[in-house]
Amino acid sequence: MKKVLISAPYMVRERERVSSLLAGKPVRVEWAEVEERLEEDDLVNILGEYHGIICGDDRITARVLDAAPMLEVIVKWGTGVDSIDQEEAGRRKIPVRRTPNAFSEPVADTALALMLAFGRSIFASDRIMKQGGWDKPQGFCLSEKTVGIIGLGDSGTAVARRLASFGARVIANDTAQKDPELVESLKVRMVDKEELYRLADIITLHCDLNPTSFRLLDRAAFAKMTRRPYLINVARGQLIEERALEEALTEGKIAGAGLDVYEEEPLAKDSPLRRMDNVILSSHNANSSRLYWQRVHENSVRMLMEGLGID
């Protein structure tokens, strides 16, 4: 009987539900003690006895793979695989499986919710009321604004479709060539990054994390944002140089930020971002949806069985 480790936090939290999907399968399942992810040292010490793993953002490096000679398949719960050394896994003929487009809908909803929260002054009004006040902070409609989408993949496309309903002007940038018919149907204008920085009132990130996008938004990028945009990040924390973001917010180079992801997670309790009134924070939870979680649970189990050669 093959032995598998489940270290994806969302599956661990729903152990009973996931266990029902594994019932009757000829595998021995063990569950990791995990909050956000397992680090390299954690995995080196335990992964050697497993044939398969369903992981979250665990740091599966070459060193980890060296310590896992029996490993036959790596399944990432969800979409992003930037924490896995795919080249090394490929060299060892260990397939890395994932669920593309897993959470585009809830992630797009979250991005729109953050834009609307800023536009309609939802959190500012809430603070005023709870402090006993009756002020009326000024807001804006999305139809008044130009929204720049960086990364017009699955979630970026889902955001563009939503923005069309609000009448926003939408511009986008992507390193990959996009289907002209798709771009036209979305009523999106493709631009280079410099033009997007210059024209956007709101910038929302929906690109993968890779060597070319790491700290994409740094001090130089913030300096080019002439319209003091609001920044939304529901993609990967490492797309933004966090210290540069703190400076841009403090110096008024950008008007505010809605963040679901961070360079280091969990976000430090003493992070300046936690004390800024023009920042809305959430805990890497943009994918939250019982329906979509269940779909990814099911697909992850299916991919695990396929990777292990089990019908």
Side-chain angles (χ1 to χ4, degrees):
M1 182 173 289
K2 295 190 176 181
K3 190 173 179 181
V4 300
L5 178 68
I6 296 181
S7 60
Y10 296 103
M11 296 185 90
V12 172
R13 291 171 197 165
E14 298 195 335
R15 186 176 304 191
E16 184 175 344
R17 176 179 290 195
V18 175
S19 294
S20 69
L21 299 174
L22 291 159
K25 305 290 186 185
V27 293
R28 178 181 168 189
V29 179
E30 295 190 356
W31 302 82
E33 295 291 331
V34 59
E35 290 295 328
E36 286 293 325
R37 67 183 59 81
L38 296 180
E39 300 296 343
E40 184 181 57
D41 286 345
D42 301 322
L43 290 162
V44 164
N45 291 328
I46 63 173
L47 200 57
E49 58 186 296
Y50 295 101
H51 298 92
I53 181 172
I54 303 179
C55 63
D57 291 330
D58 299 348
R59 308 302 189 200
I60 301 181
T61 63
R63 179 170 165 247
V64 170
L65 295 172
D66 278 338
M70 296 193 298
L71 198 62
E72 298 176 27
V73 62
I74 300 167
V75 177
K76 167 64 194 294
W77 188 93
T79 301
V81 290
D82 49 88
S83 62
I84 301 169
D85 189 333
Q86 298 174 75
E87 183 176 344
E88 184 64 23
R91 192 178 70 79
R92 297 165 186 264
K93 296 182 171 51
I94 302 172
V96 177
R97 307 291 300 275
R98 65 188 184 118
T99 304
N101 201 19
F103 300 113
S104 297
E105 297 303 311
V107 165
D109 280 1
T110 302
L112 261 292
L114 290 166
M115 294 179 202
L116 290 167
F118 283 121
R120 306 316 306 150
S121 302
I122 301 299
F123 286 90
S125 297
D126 178 72
R127 282 193 296 271
I128 290 166
M129 292 294 292
K130 288 178 178 176
Q131 292 167 3
W134 191 253
D135 296 340
K136 301 178 186 290
Q138 183 60 272
F140 59 82
C141 293
L142 292 180
S143 60
E144 303 170 41
K145 300 299 182 181
T146 296
V147 180
I149 301 173
I150 299 181
L152 198 64
D154 292 324
S155 67
T157 295
V159 168
R161 288 198 173 102
R162 286 158 172 75
L163 286 169
S165 299
F166 285 88
R169 296 178 296 277
V170 183
I171 57 179
N173 173 267
D174 200 300
T175 56
Q177 187 68 34
K178 297 284 118 178
D179 179 357
E181 292 185 6
L182 171 66
V183 173
E184 184 178 358
S185 72
L186 295 172
K187 297 181 172 59
V188 170
R189 184 166 70 87
M190 302 302 295
V191 298
D192 61 31
K193 287 189 181 69
E194 283 67 27
E195 188 173 3
L196 187 145
Y197 296 153
R198 181 169 55 84
L199 296 179
D201 301 297
I202 301 169
I203 296 174
T204 182
L205 300 180
H206 298 274
C207 48
D208 293 334
L209 178 63
N210 55 55
T212 63
S213 64
F214 177 73
R215 289 189 168 180
L216 175 69
L217 298 190
D218 56 11
R219 288 177 178 84
F222 287 122
K224 298 173 183 176
M225 297 178 185
T226 57
R227 298 180 67 87
R228 295 188 65 245
Y230 290 90
L231 175 63
I232 309 297
N233 190 7
V234 291
R236 286 295 192 190
Q238 294 90 343
L239 297 173
I240 301 175
E241 183 183 354
E242 212 157 272
R243 180 61 185 146
L245 171 63
E246 294 166 5
E247 292 172 1
L249 287 161
T250 301
E251 296 168 6
K253 293 177 181 176
I254 63 174
L259 306 172
D260 184 58
V261 288
Y262 312 91
E263 279 200 291
E264 297 292 335
E265 297 181 358
L267 181 66
K269 291 183 179 179
D270 62 353
S271 168
L273 295 170
R274 291 183 182 265
R275 303 189 295 273
M276 295 181 179
D277 287 342
N278 59 342
V279 176
I280 301 172
L281 305 175
S282 61
S283 55
H284 201 150
N285 197 40
N287 65 10
S288 181
S289 162
R290 183 170 291 273
L291 172 64
Y292 286 93
W293 280 19
Q294 180 65 18
R295 289 179 180 176
V296 176
H297 290 341
E298 292 170 357
N299 196 43
S300 296
V301 169
R302 179 185 60 79
M303 291 187 294
L304 176 71
M305 295 302 114
E306 289 177 354
L308 294 174
I310 297 172
D311 294 331

